[in-house]
Amino acid sequence: MKKDFCLHSLLLCLGIAYCSHATSLRRNNKLRQSFHGHHEKGKEGQVLHRSKRGWVWNQFFVIEEYTGPDPVLVGRLHSDVDSGDGKIKYILSGEGAGTIFVIDDKSGNIHATKTLDREERAQYTLMAQAVERETNKPLEPPSEFIVKVQDINDNPPEFLHENYHANVPEMSNVGTSVIQVTASDADDPTYGNSAKLVYSILEGQPYFSVEAQSGIIRTALPNMDREAKEEYHVVIQAKDMGGHMGGLSGTTKVTIKLTDVNDNPPKFPQSAYPMSVSEAAVPGEEVGRIKAKDPDFGENGLIKYRILEGDGAEMFEITADYQTQEGVVKLKKVVDYETKKFYSMKVEAVNVHIDPRFLSRGPFKDTATVKVSVEDFDEPPIFLAHSYIFEVYENAPSETVVGRVHAKDPDAANSPIRYSIDRHTDLDRFFSINPEDGVIKTTKGLDREESSWHNISIIANEIHNRIHETKVPVAIKVLDKNDNAPEFAKPYEAFVCENAPINQEFLTITAVDKDDTANGLRFFYSFPPEIVRPNPNFTIIDKRDNTASIRVGRGVFSRQKQDLYLVPIVISDGGSPPMSSTNTLSVRICSCSSDGSQLSCNAEPQSLNAGLSTGALIAILACIVILLVIVVLFVTLRREKKEPLIVFEEEDIRENIITYDDEGGGEEDTEAFDIATLQNPDGINGFMPRKDIKPEFQYNTRDFGIRPAPNSVDVDDFINTRIHEADNDPTAPPYDSIQIYGYEGRGSVAGSLSSLESASTDSDLDYDYLQNWGPRFKKLADLYGSKDTCEDDS
């Protein structure tokens, strides 16, 4: 191809050079003729004068990409005033003058010194002028001319993109447009066929084709199936020179993908699907999954499932999982192994979106059979009733049968059942149950007035497997018996005038009964039958509406003789057996005026129905007096000053705070404080007696092996010694007592604990006791003991 290109370029250059030379010769002949001038006669003998011109030329042309050894002759400039004696000088100016284009100032020949590229610049504008060589005087005015770069086919076609991507639906008809590719050629489209492009397909046949002039790619085969092959790689070529030999070409790659359409129906890979479910499963629980395969993609492959028929249609349901395209079989109702052990149903899978263009390819659905077997499960017992209601009379003796509950094992084993009461529902343990037959009995008498209903829970579980249990609520109603006597609805107290007339009603009484009204709604009022001669001053009239009126009898009232009457009244009911109670009515006699208005009464109304006896009141008062005496004695004893448990001398000033208004001298003050004041002279040589206990043995400080020197100056040793003595001394004060050492000053028997005077008395101290203080003081004992040893050795 390169050899053809060079040959073609060479022939083209020779042709252009020949044409340019012929044109130049013609131009020169014309120039010469124009400068000499001549006269022509017209048709009518008129003489015409032609004007004289200095320059006549057309455009110059130069071929691009010339690679010859010599500069390219572009053209020649010549003026008629040039006689050839060398007196005229040609000057060239403008675009590329002196660099790209040079001129021979004597002959006027213009040459191109550099290789030109039309795609970089298509033409150059230059100015030519003829001047006198010696004086540079212009002989002609400057003239403008154009040098055009003539194109050759030196640029191959280039596509806009190196790679193209396109999609086309599968099963498309032949000739369906896929994509248009476009190439461009940098050569001159107006000159020759250098920029005339023709498209062809190099790879991708026989599936695709391309239009030669437009570059549109189209499908070439029908029924291309995405499921068979989804992606195709096509190579398109663009060639200039109209596709003829010697033209340049460029290629591009096109990746074409087939998009999916719903052209495949769903298919079950198997005709039957076995599944199993436990009878303990709850509705909504997943039983299993089935999946119909559809090679389509996306929404074209969506499948919905449904149950068409079968005895499991009422017990199961199926839904679609669109993430996995599976049909999920779920339990719709509870299954029972003992009732039915096997279910079968026909399931259909159908596409959600159906393309009517492909209905001819068959129905877009498929069916399969789902067989579900029920697995046995050790179920808890089942009561024959969801709840039980029993009745029992109050005050019934223990072991009275209340009722019976019954449960059974629903499994095929039919295991025996054991019954019990949930004691959280029977905290008072009123009931018991036979663990074998479920008979409920009372354990004690029940009182309807305390609780008319008892709600308990009965637990049933298998004897051999007590893990599973079932509870049933049992409501027990306590039936009423007439075991409560009627009584006053409230405490009654009446006031009667001394001069009240006979048969005057002064009070109406009512009664209440805790028992159920069904056992005795009717109340009867009367005086106690044991009273032989009832009080003649009062009478009772039963109104037969559960009330009674109290009236004045035949007696005469006198406040001086008796101002208060306690009238017993018996109230009985009509129950079986009848119950009665005696209630006391207080009637106070008052002084009244003639019109019946009360003037005065001796006391305020009282209710004696629930009062205390005189003996009880006297006992209470006696107890109160005794308590007061005890309190007075206790306060008196507390006021007396207690004698201290440990005997101290009068100068013992424990718990006193002594304030000194002296200011210390800092670290150099050696007289500010003497620790010897902390020593107690009473306890230095012996123990301090206690009055509260008798010591079991005599205390001896020597037993402890700790005897501080009189002039000991170590505060820590002093305090530790005192703590040790207090811990081991049975005659010491109690553990929680506080001892305060308030001694100070010189002359104490205990000596001083200060270290200020130790320098003068060091030789008189005895440090043998340090050997008995244990390993913690071994170093100190060695220091002081070594001195004594050295002195003895010397």
Side-chain angles (χ1 to χ4, degrees), residues 99-145:
T99 57
I100 299 175
F101 301 101
V102 295
I103 189 172
D104 187 347
D105 58 358
K106 292 182 179 180
S107 63
N109 293 332
I110 301 174
H111 292 83
T113 62
K114 294 183 178 181
T115 301
L116 303 180
D117 189 356
R118 190 200 65 83
E119 286 71 35
E120 291 183 2
R121 189 160 189 170
Q123 66 181 18
Y124 297 84
T125 302
L126 299 173
M127 300 289 292
Q129 189 175 22
V131 298
E132 188 176 354
R133 184 176 296 273
E134 294 180 358
T135 61
N136 287 332
K137 179 179 179 183
L139 301 177
E140 296 289 344
S143 297
E144 181 181 276
F145 65 95

Side-chain angles (χ1 to χ4, degrees), residues 260-398:
D260 187 59
V261 297
N262 191 12
D263 59 335
N264 295 282
K267 292 290 183 182
F268 284 107
Q270 58 193 67
S271 60
Y273 291 85
M275 297 180 184
S276 61
V277 62
S278 174
E279 62 176 341
V282 297
E285 186 172 334
E286 182 178 323
V287 178
R289 291 181 174 233
I290 61 175
K291 183 176 182 180
K293 293 185 177 180
D294 190 338
D296 293 325
F297 180 75
E299 66 176 13
N300 296 314
L302 295 179
I303 303 173
K304 60 182 178 180
Y305 300 86
R306 64 172 181 168
I307 299 175
L308 296 179
E309 58 185 15
D311 53 3
E314 297 295 330
M315 307 301 295
F316 302 91
E317 62 182 358
I318 187 170
T319 58
D321 184 352
Y322 290 111
Q323 297 294 329
T324 61
Q325 299 302 317
E326 293 177 319
V328 183
V329 180
K330 295 182 179 180
L331 186 64
K332 187 177 181 180
K333 295 181 180 179
V334 177
V335 293
D336 187 9
Y337 175 81
E338 289 71 27
T339 303
K340 191 175 178 61
K341 300 180 178 61
F342 184 81
Y343 293 91
S344 178
M345 50 191 167
K346 189 176 182 180
V347 178
E348 180 186 64
V350 61
N351 279 133
V352 176
H353 304 285
I354 298 177
D355 194 336
R357 297 177 300 171
F358 305 103
L359 288 177
S360 59
R361 300 175 68 91
F364 284 79
K365 58 185 177 180
D366 194 15
T367 58
T369 302
V370 176
K371 299 179 180 180
V372 182
S373 59
V374 181
E375 296 178 348
D376 189 19
F377 180 78
D378 190 6
E379 300 177 80
I382 298 177
F383 283 94
L384 299 185
H386 296 291
S387 62
Y388 293 88
I389 299 178
F390 299 127
E391 295 179 347
V392 63
Y393 278 100
E394 65 175 335
N395 300 325
S398 60

